[in-house]
Amino acid sequence: MKRIGFLALLSLCAGSALADKVVNIGFSGPLSGGAAAYGKDTLSGLQMAVDTLNKSGGIKVGNDKVTFKVVSLDDRYLPNETATNVKRLTGQDIQFIFVPHAGGIQAVQPLAIRDPEFLLVAYSSEPKILAANNPLTFMLPPRYDNYAQPFVATEMKTFGKKLALVGTSSAYGKQWADLIESEWKKQGGTVGRDNAVDYNTTVDFSAAVTKALSEKPDVLFIGGPSQPTALVIKAAREQGFKGGFIVMDQAKFEQMETVIPKNYLDGSVGVLPTRDFPGTQSFVVQYQRAYKKIPTSEAGLNYMGMNVLAKAMELAGTTSDPRKVRAQLDAAAKALPQSKTVYKVFGVTPQATWTPSS
């Protein structure tokens, strides 16, 4: 009897050493309201990465075979709700959380380094996220202040020196507007009054556009989620505006051209569509097959970010220590196989954002 019991104990120990482990990945973003399409695009990239990892058998961390599950919560693009959601997620012992908007990210950065700690995967190009020097943040997109000088120079040279502002009234939109206004003046242009409007709740943008056009601008600064941004362009073109648009990076041309005539976008500057980056064709095909829609950088960068995170867990030998995982992000990005690479990068900086390829 003693021998049988001893053999049974050995069997149980061996079974636990080889047991599967499920690691929950948190997400808090807008899944309802005016920014819902944007939030769902970020979530779809994360979910596609998790599905692909799980389908291939997951990853091996120590003696564990690890698979993943996404736990997503709707914050309606409201930073206070992001904070509430993050507390709910960490209360479930979730230590890796994706947040796709600047207001929410900045609201929860201080929480990341409290007990319980978590790694905040930040999908926003707001430079203040990096300026916080938070040791548990991983920022996915390039910082947007790199866009201001070339965007302004291109539009001013093509259309003229008078700018009007019709961006979204979110914190992120205001920060973008301040940057463009400052750069526009720096390059010798003049700026009219700010006609910012809430892109998440507004349905008819005609009044805001009319106010902006009453100053007879050469260029409009616009932007927020893609669909309402397209409606701003539509209102401007239908009111006879022939000038150019500086488009905030949140709005994507490949999505806007499904809402309005493509020629309405002529004379605009913004971020390059994902399909036009070299080497993205395989990802585009896989994503369209899975989700029946056009992939943007929201999907692409979150897909790649999750794959880098999983690889960092392998290299760190842990799924429960977010600091050790963060320390392996650079090595993980460099070791990421081509099949999981959407955009070419050199690695991850010490501040934990991408180092893009030249």
Side-chain angles (χ1 to χ4, degrees), residues 139-174:
M139 180 169 152
L140 298 181
R143 47 189 296 166
Y144 69 70
D145 51 357
N146 293 324
Y147 299 131
Q149 191 280 328
F151 282 10
V152 168
T154 298
E155 291 297 289
M156 191 178 290
K157 180 179 179 181
T158 305
F159 294 101
K161 292 192 171 184
K162 195 167 184 180
L163 177 72
L165 307 169
V166 201
T168 185
S169 59
S170 69
Y172 184 62
K174 290 177 182 177

Side-chain angles (χ1 to χ4, degrees), residues 100-163:
H101 55 102
I105 292 163
Q106 291 175 282
V108 301
Q109 272 188 305
L111 302 180
I113 55 175
R114 297 178 188 171
D115 188 16
E117 292 187 335
F118 63 93
L119 181 60
L120 172 60
V121 186
Y123 185 80
S124 171
S125 57
E126 169 54 58
K128 291 180 181 178
I129 293 168
L130 293 179
N133 292 316
N134 186 284
L136 283 171
T137 298
F138 175 24
M139 180 169 152
L140 298 181
R143 47 189 296 166
Y144 69 70
D145 51 357
N146 293 324
Y147 299 131
Q149 191 280 328
F151 282 10
V152 168
T154 298
E155 291 297 289
M156 191 178 290
K157 180 179 179 181
T158 305
F159 294 101
K161 292 192 171 184
K162 195 167 184 180
L163 177 72

Side-chain angles (χ1 to χ4, degrees), residues 59-314:
I59 62 173
K60 186 176 180 182
V61 179
N63 291 321
D64 293 325
K65 186 179 82 171
V66 175
T67 57
F68 300 96
K69 178 183 177 182
V70 178
V71 180
S72 60
L73 298 175
D74 181 14
D75 62 24
R76 299 183 299 156
Y77 213 63
L78 300 172
N80 62 314
E81 294 202 17
T82 310
T84 299
N85 286 348
V86 163
K87 290 174 183 176
R88 288 177 58 190
L89 293 167
T90 56
Q92 298 174 47
D93 200 29
I94 295 176
Q95 295 167 305
F96 305 93
I97 301 175
F98 285 65
V99 177
H101 55 102
I105 292 163
Q106 291 175 282
V108 301
Q109 272 188 305
L111 302 180
I113 55 175
R114 297 178 188 171
D115 188 16
E117 292 187 335
F118 63 93
L119 181 60
L120 172 60
V121 186
Y123 185 80
S124 171
S125 57
E126 169 54 58
K128 291 180 181 178
I129 293 168
L130 293 179
N133 292 316
N134 186 284
L136 283 171
T137 298
F138 175 24
M139 180 169 152
L140 298 181
R143 47 189 296 166
Y144 69 70
D145 51 357
N146 293 324
Y147 299 131
Q149 191 280 328
F151 282 10
V152 168
T154 298
E155 291 297 289
M156 191 178 290
K157 180 179 179 181
T158 305
F159 294 101
K161 292 192 171 184
K162 195 167 184 180
L163 177 72
L165 307 169
V166 201
T168 185
S169 59
S170 69
Y172 184 62
K174 290 177 182 177
Q175 289 156 352
W176 246 97
D178 288 345
L179 174 69
I180 294 299
E181 180 176 3
S182 175
E183 182 63 31
W184 191 270
K185 290 178 179 177
K186 181 180 177 182
Q187 295 191 31
T190 60
V191 181
R193 64 177 177 269
D194 191 348
N195 300 284
V197 61
D198 187 347
Y199 279 38
N200 295 322
T201 59
T202 303
V203 177
D204 185 354
F205 294 90
S206 299
V209 170
T210 298
K211 289 180 182 178
L213 295 185
S214 68
E215 299 180 333
K216 302 189 183 304
D218 302 304
V219 178
L220 295 181
F221 165 73
I222 62 172
S226 297
Q227 289 75 12
T229 302
L231 296 180
V232 174
I233 293 174
K234 182 174 185 286
R237 293 303 191 208
E238 291 183 349
Q239 291 184 37
F241 181 62
K242 305 293 186 183
F245 298 99
I246 294 176
V247 183
M248 192 170 88
D249 62 344
Q250 188 178 357
K252 302 299 187 292
F253 287 99
E254 60 266 49
Q255 291 181 323
M256 291 190 292
E257 66 186 28
T258 68
V259 179
I260 57 177
K262 192 173 182 179
N263 67 304
Y264 280 14
L265 297 167
D266 290 349
S268 302
V269 292
V271 297
L272 190 70
T274 291
R275 67 189 179 210
D276 294 336
F277 280 88
T280 59
Q281 289 75 19
S282 176
F283 169 75
V284 169
V285 170
Q286 292 178 50
Y287 183 89
Q288 287 181 320
R289 186 183 300 127
Y291 293 97
K292 313 302 180 190
K293 60 181 180 179
I294 300 168
T296 64
S297 57
E298 276 79 32
L301 283 171
N302 280 278
Y303 171 85
M304 199 165 160
M306 179 62 215
N307 278 299
V308 169
L309 179 63
K311 189 65 179 177
M313 291 179 189
E314 284 186 319

